[in-house]
Amino acid sequence: MASMIASSKVVALGALIFSLVTYGSCARPVNFNTSDFTADPTWEAARATWYGAPTGAGPDDDGGACGFKNVNLPPFSAMTSCGNEPLFKDGKGCGSCYQIRCTGHPACSGNPETVIITDMNYYPVAKYHFDLSGTAFGAMAQPGRNDELRHAGIIDIQFKRVPCNYPGQKVTFHVEDGSNPVYFAVLVEFEDGDGDVVQVDLMEANSGSWTPMRESWGSIWRLDSNHRLQAPFSLRITNESGKTLVANQVIPANWVPNTFYRSIVQY
């Protein structure tokens, strides 16, 4: 009987590992001890898995829990990751950039690669857990050994927070579907430096005052108004370091939902 119980436990553990390797870990919620994370020049220990297509960007829709669109295309270029709560930070870690590297597997190159947090990891296997796109996971391998590394499934890695850098890009706003004269929702992306946003404020035309927006989900911020909002809108964003940036009248008077509006400002 004891041997049967032990055997069952081994089978259950094997099934769990198979599930993690095959499907990644952007899955069902699990509570995990979290702590604040700040930029640090030293490397920290973490674990990494991958999900989606082997050479894909992770989610089937090339999006994720941050709300970013087309993360398979530049400047994200599929170098993306789910982060568990110390990295995702309830959405306020969206857009943060990290260098990752692996050395403990024969296929590892040891060279650092930069990834961007674009999704939420609900099922962590470590204090810091990067559930990477197949592309990002394979990028840590020696030339020609990408698939060999991906077949490892779960590996130990090192990581550190680094500034984001989007050459030639300005901070961009996407007005979300469903926005109307009394409800306005906007996605913020491509911020150099911290890469993340912890507050967005909106100024209506000729108002002279800022109205705080609230986080809807991921990197999408919303304003529910008790009056018809008067465009053009200026938007003020604040990053984790407390630096603010103002995009004056970036949303025009004739704005329409499901449209990108590129500013002329950058951190």
Side-chain angles (χ1 to χ4, degrees):
M1 178 65 72
S3 63
M4 291 177 63
I5 293 173
S7 175
S8 297
K9 289 181 177 178
V10 170
V11 170
L13 178 59
L16 171 61
I17 292 173
F18 178 81
S19 175
L20 287 169
V21 172
T22 307
Y23 302 109
S25 55
C26 292
R28 48 186 227 262
V30 167
N31 289 328
F32 203 87
N33 255 351
T34 61
S35 62
D36 291 334
F37 174 76
T38 54
D40 192 306
T42 60
W43 293 91
E44 300 245 9
R47 303 205 84 190
T49 51
W50 65 277
Y51 74 115
T55 56
D60 291 338
D61 64 354
D62 295 317
C66 287
F68 299 133
K69 278 75 170 158
N70 303 316
V71 297
N72 57 315
L73 302 177
F76 295 109
S77 302
M79 292 297 289
T80 58
S81 181
C82 300
N84 64 316
E85 188 52 33
L87 304 168
F88 185 76
K89 303 175 184 176
D90 198 26
K92 291 183 173 63
C94 288
S96 301
C97 297
Y98 293 90
Q99 280 190 343
I100 57 172
R101 67 184 183 186
C102 73
T103 58
H105 187 279
C108 289
S109 71
N111 297 325
E113 298 289 343
T114 301
V115 296
I116 304 167
I117 299 297
T118 58
D119 207 347
M120 172 65 182
N121 178 349
Y122 296 101
Y123 197 4
V125 298
K127 181 179 180 180
Y128 298 115
H129 179 184
F130 289 81
D131 196 22
L132 300 161
S133 67
T135 297
F137 197 98
M140 293 186 289
Q142 298 174 35
R145 302 183 71 176
N146 314 74
D147 285 333
E148 181 184 348
L149 185 61
R150 279 189 286 262
H151 286 156
I154 304 175
I155 60 173
D156 293 321
I157 64 168
Q158 296 174 310
F159 77 100
K160 63 180 177 180
R161 180 83 174 267
V162 294
C164 297
N165 184 25
Y166 297 104
Q169 289 279 358
K170 302 299 184 183
V171 175
T172 300
F173 303 91
H174 181 267
V175 177
E176 298 293 294
D177 281 335
S179 294
N180 58 59
V182 295
Y183 166 79
F184 184 76
V186 65
L187 167 75
V188 189
E189 59 185 0
F190 308 148
E191 309 91 59
D192 281 352
D194 286 2
D196 54 22
V197 175
V198 299
Q199 181 58 48
V200 179
D201 305 298
L202 180 147
M203 182 185 290
E204 297 179 63
N206 305 314
S207 74
S209 62
W210 293 102
T211 301
M213 302 182 73
R214 62 187 179 91
E215 187 180 16
S216 182
W217 58 277
S219 195
I220 296 173
W221 294 75
R222 65 184 290 171
L223 178 61
D224 299 275
S225 178
N226 59 6
H227 65 274
R228 293 179 66 87
L229 296 167
Q230 300 300 310
F233 304 140
S234 297
L235 294 172
R236 179 176 66 186
I237 62 175
T238 304
N239 66 15
E240 188 176 10
S241 296
K243 297 178 180 177
T244 60
L245 192 68
V246 174
N248 285 310
Q249 298 189 347
V250 65
I251 308 299
N254 61 344
W255 64 269
V256 292
N258 198 28
T259 303
F260 285 99
Y261 294 99
R262 187 177 182 183
S263 76
I264 58 171
V265 297
Q266 183 58 275
Y267 278 107

